[in-house]
Amino acid sequence: MPQQRILVVEDETNVRELEAEILRGEWEHVDTAVDGTDALRLLAEHVYAAIVSDLAMPKLDGRGLYEEVERRWPAVQGRLVFVTGYAEAEEYDEFLRHSGVPVLAKPFRMADLLGAVKRAFSPA
């Protein structure tokens, strides 16, 4: 597992850095993106074992990222994990039910993030 590459997509700098730091405790290769558009550029360059993405972001949000991943790299869509604050949850309820992507509510525990990423490696 240490050779697996993880992608963190988060527009809030502090949250992005914290998530990446937590994940680097388990995996050596953790890349970061500031939004879905930035993530698509990285996805075109690398293969990721898991993608941890915020839902509400500028330019291209988590839903848009999911749709582009589904269209361009369908095998990867099962490796997504969303993180979200309670405020935007209602806005994304229907999408999250339809997509089946695991969701972590902010704030989350380190163990929850690590567990969600490990499960993303082998989606059911």
Side-chain angles (χ1 to χ4, degrees), residues 1-8 27-32 42 45-51 79 117 121:
M1 261 204 259
Q3 298 303 321
Q4 303 282 350
R5 186 177 289 271
I6 311 295
L7 178 59
V8 173
W27 297 279
E28 182 178 349
H29 301 288
V30 178
D31 295 334
T32 61
L42 290 168
E45 297 172 5
H46 305 286
V47 174
Y48 290 96
I51 303 163
R79 299 181 195 162
V117 169
F121 290 151

Side-chain angles (χ1 to χ4, degrees), residues 50-55 66 76-84 95-105 112-113 115-124:
I51 303 163
V52 178
S53 178
D54 190 11
L55 273 173
Y66 174 89
V76 177
Q77 84 183 59
R79 299 181 195 162
L80 274 159
V81 175
F82 284 125
V83 292
T84 185
F95 161 69
L96 291 172
R97 276 194 303 276
H98 169 74
S99 72
V101 175
V103 179
L104 291 176
D112 293 338
L113 177 62
V117 169
K118 287 176 182 175
R119 284 188 297 279
F121 290 151
S122 53

